[in-house]
Amino acid sequence: MHPALDLEAKVDAILARADDETLPAVPASLYLDLAESIVRQAARLQAPDGHVDDLYGPPGVETSTATGRYAGAVAHLLRAGRCLDLLESAMAALDWCCDQVVAAYREGRAWRGSGFYLKDALVLYQVLAGTAPSDGMERWTRDLASYDPEQLYDGGHNWLFYNAAAEVVRIESGLSDRHDYVEQALASQLEQWTPFGMYRDPNDPVTYDLTVRQGLAFMFEHGWEGEHAGWAREMLRRGALATLLFISPNGVAPYGGRSNQFHHMEAMIAYLAEWQAKEEARRRNLRLAGALRRMALAGAKAVRRWILQDPYFSLKHQMRAYPCHGHDRYNPTGSLHAAYGLLAANLFGGAHHCAATGIPMAPAPTDVGGYTLHLADAFYRVWATAGGYHLQIDTAGHPGYDATGLGRFHKRGAPVELALNMSIVPDPKWHIAVANPRRAVAIGPGWPVAGAWRYLAEANRESHAVAVTTREENSAVELAVTYQSRGDGLPGATEVRECYRLSDEGLRCRIEVPGAPQVHLQAPLLET
């Protein structure tokens, strides 16, 4: 049996060991506080034509998707009775989005990223129905009903789920009847899912697994019950169980791949977990439902220190002199502050409306510990949690993003950056405020070869095979990771063995490189 099929039994066994302790109260209104902090700062940057500028980008240039995400975030706040003074601003943003739709269909072309914009702008259209001036509603209705999805939407992979989600809201709003488009988009991606309910965008970035799963939950939240609904529910359930096992006790999402460690990752998890909690409550599994709500709110709590300030930080650092440190290089203006900050805002706002606050929080697996999760066939990572400690090992690094080896070591209640929050790579595919690192760095071994030192962190997905064994106890876990060289993939070593024990005493490791005359252990030091 594939281990993914045993996820539910594993999570149930962990939760059965939970103490009946009183958990600290975290109100769902925190979601709205986070969303409002970002939205009010973005509102100050709205241009006269309705689009939203980026605080760190050139004036008059929108960071792609920012305006649609602003519209969606304000919509959720308006629904909650907040930011009523931003009603005119929200309508201007919807006007701008509709202008882009009109221009595209008149010219017979796609609007780049239209699914990303419209998935959220259409939520605002729904919120404004019955309250906005009739001439505005008539215009928006005409424009948003006017296009064929095959013409306007573009892109592949995760983009297809955004397109499908936008079309579902159109259908719910009576603007489209293209159920066939939605089902065809999903059918084209069925082979990209793992047995663990995780979506494989190219090179397995964690962010794009989370965003696709959030898109499916969003579709259900907006009334979708199509041909692939049964499959989607099963994928979302498995993915939620896996997420409970790979989240940090501090509430933060895993590292790995592009667009990573932005706060929208915790917001995606919050939306997913609040939605899945309702599903589990309907199945009368209130213990699992409560654990999911605990995970959702832990993520919101984790990012407060970066978001509830002015200006907010869109990433997990506070380098005011280098605000775009860590932002992906694929954005030509350099800054993703507006686009990804507003994505977090509309997802936290959406999580608030997904939340069934009558479901009481219950302990999550991170409160209990004593477990591991190994993704061997995709994503290539191992997580372990015990005694309030947590680690993540990347068993096959991805050049430009992640190094091979132990790249994360957290302790509950300690700042995530205190030991190591993510591995370090030379020539990273994101902007950094310092000189490029000389080599890849994770906590792990190096050995001498040809007058120099070779480090396991430098290994890539083609250089070695991996074998992982685990032993789980109630209070501790042990795992052994063996890297076996493919040819000369690990120069100077045929094998590297790492053995870890994680408990309330911390992390103990034993490392062997058979045949090496010496072994170094590298561990990065924090410089502030």
Side-chain angles (χ1 to χ4, degrees):
M1 181 171 68
H2 193 284
L5 302 179
D6 202 32
L7 273 177
E8 183 172 4
K10 180 166 186 168
V11 171
D12 281 347
I14 296 166
L15 297 181
R17 295 190 279 109
D19 296 328
D20 293 327
E21 60 180 303
T22 301
L23 297 173
V26 183
S29 59
L30 174 59
Y31 295 141
L32 298 176
D33 296 340
L34 296 168
E36 185 168 352
S37 175
I38 294 169
V39 160
R40 289 205 173 276
Q41 293 179 53
R44 302 198 297 256
L45 297 168
Q46 190 172 34
D49 66 356
H51 87 264
V52 177
D53 274 358
D54 191 300
L55 179 62
Y56 304 114
V61 178
E62 185 216 34
T63 303
S64 179
T65 73
T67 305
R69 287 166 169 170
Y70 174 76
V74 179
H76 292 303
L77 291 163
L78 292 173
R79 282 178 61 191
R82 296 202 187 189
C83 296
L84 301 182
D85 57 309
L86 296 181
L87 177 61
E88 293 290 332
S89 172
M91 291 193 292
L94 186 54
D95 281 338
W96 185 88
C97 290
C98 286
D99 287 344
Q100 310 312 304
V101 172
V102 170
Y105 71 63
R106 281 181 178 170
E107 297 170 18
R109 59 172 172 83
W111 172 24
R112 181 164 176 77
S114 52
F116 294 79
Y117 285 94
L118 294 173
K119 169 180 176 283
D120 300 316
L122 281 155
V123 174
L124 177 59
Y125 169 83
Q126 291 184 332
V127 169
L128 294 178
T131 61
S134 58
D135 57 341
M137 284 304 304
E138 289 172 3
R139 183 220 165 177
W140 299 324
T141 299
R142 181 181 66 250
D143 293 344
L144 294 171
S146 64
Y147 64 85
D148 294 323
E150 289 86 356
Q151 177 204 314
L152 194 72
Y153 301 142
D154 65 340
H157 303 296
N158 70 85
W159 291 44
L160 294 172
F161 291 88
Y162 277 86
N163 299 344
E167 199 62 19
V168 163
V169 189
R170 277 220 305 166
I171 293 168
E172 182 188 36
S173 305
L175 303 171
S176 167
D177 61 358
R178 293 299 308 278
H179 300 273
D180 61 318
Y181 176 85
V182 175
E183 301 307 319
Q184 289 167 12
L186 297 181
S188 72
Q189 298 298 298
L190 295 180
E191 300 302 315
Q192 302 305 315
W193 291 76
T194 77
F196 287 90
M198 297 173 66
Y199 176 75
R200 300 194 70 183
D201 216 52
N203 296 309
D204 297 336
V206 178
T207 302
Y208 292 90
D209 158 55
L210 294 173
T211 197
V212 165
R213 288 196 272 136
Q214 187 274 327
L216 286 180
F218 175 93
M219 289 165 62
F220 281 120
E221 191 71 9
H222 286 272
W224 173 66
E225 289 292 345
E227 174 188 352
H228 295 97
W231 160 84
R233 275 195 163 87
E234 178 62 17
M235 290 299 100
L236 287 173
R237 180 172 169 75
R238 292 187 195 181
L241 293 166
T243 304
L244 282 166
L245 299 179
F246 66 51
I247 202 74
S248 165
N250 288 318
V252 302
Y255 74 87
R258 68 189 190 279
S259 306
N260 193 259
Q261 291 305 294
F262 289 90
H263 308 312
H264 59 57
M265 297 181 68
E266 286 73 28
M268 289 167 187
I269 290 172
Y271 192 110
L272 282 165
E274 292 286 9
W275 183 86
Q276 191 67 41
K278 294 188 295 187
E279 290 285 290
E280 298 307 325
R282 280 193 280 270
R283 291 164 51 104
R284 300 185 183 278
N285 193 343
L286 292 179
R287 184 166 64 185
L288 178 55
L292 287 161
R293 295 210 63 231
R294 164 78 162 158
M295 176 174 67
L297 286 159
K301 185 178 177 181
V303 301
R304 289 182 305 182
R305 65 180 173 114
W306 290 290
I307 292 180
L308 296 182
Q309 55 179 302
D310 189 354
Y312 68 87
F313 289 89
S314 56
L315 264 169
K316 291 172 179 61
H317 69 71
Q318 296 200 38
M319 298 170 64
R320 290 204 184 278
Y322 307 100
C324 297
H325 175 75
H327 289 212
D328 300 77
R329 293 187 186 275
Y330 57 68
N331 180 49
T333 66
S335 176
L336 291 162
H337 182 78
Y340 280 168
L342 287 164
L343 174 57
N346 84 56
L347 290 170
F348 278 129
H352 176 267
H353 293 292
C354 275
T357 55
I359 301 172
M361 283 200 310
T366 55
D367 298 303
V368 182
Y371 58 86
T372 63
L373 177 66
H374 177 209
L375 302 183
D377 303 323
F379 293 91
Y380 313 110
R381 297 187 177 100
V382 185
W383 292 270
T385 304
Y389 289 92
H390 175 81
L391 60 81
Q392 178 180 334
I393 297 168
D394 198 321
T395 62
H398 179 196
Y401 290 106
D402 311 303
T404 296
L406 175 58
R408 168 172 287 185
F409 183 42
H410 284 178
K411 181 179 182 180
R412 180 186 293 115
V416 295
E417 63 271 30
L418 189 58
L420 187 61
N421 186 45
M422 59 185 292
S423 58
I424 299 167
V425 293
D427 300 319
K429 295 184 179 180
W430 57 82
H431 300 283
I432 60 173
V434 295
N436 277 2
R438 294 186 309 243
R439 65 170 188 267
V441 176
I443 299 173
W447 57 92
V449 55
W453 283 84
R454 170 76 182 191
Y455 290 88
L456 176 66
E458 300 170 274
N460 59 44
R461 294 185 179 182
E462 288 71 46
S463 66
H464 58 273
V466 177
V468 177
T469 60
T470 62
R471 180 169 174 265
E472 300 175 0
E473 303 172 359
N474 289 352
S475 59
V477 297
E478 295 178 355
L479 54 141
V481 185
T482 302
Y483 302 86
Q484 295 175 321
S485 182
R486 289 193 178 113
D488 198 31
L490 299 176
T494 57
E495 189 174 86
V496 177
R497 304 171 193 155
E498 297 181 312
C499 297
Y500 300 97
R501 178 177 172 83
L502 192 65
S503 69
D504 58 6
E505 296 180 347
L507 176 64
R508 295 182 179 274
C509 62
R510 186 179 75 251
I511 298 172
E512 300 175 357
V513 184
Q518 287 180 288
V519 176
H520 280 180
L521 176 71
Q522 66 170 355
L525 299 177
L526 181 69
E527 179 182 357
T528 67

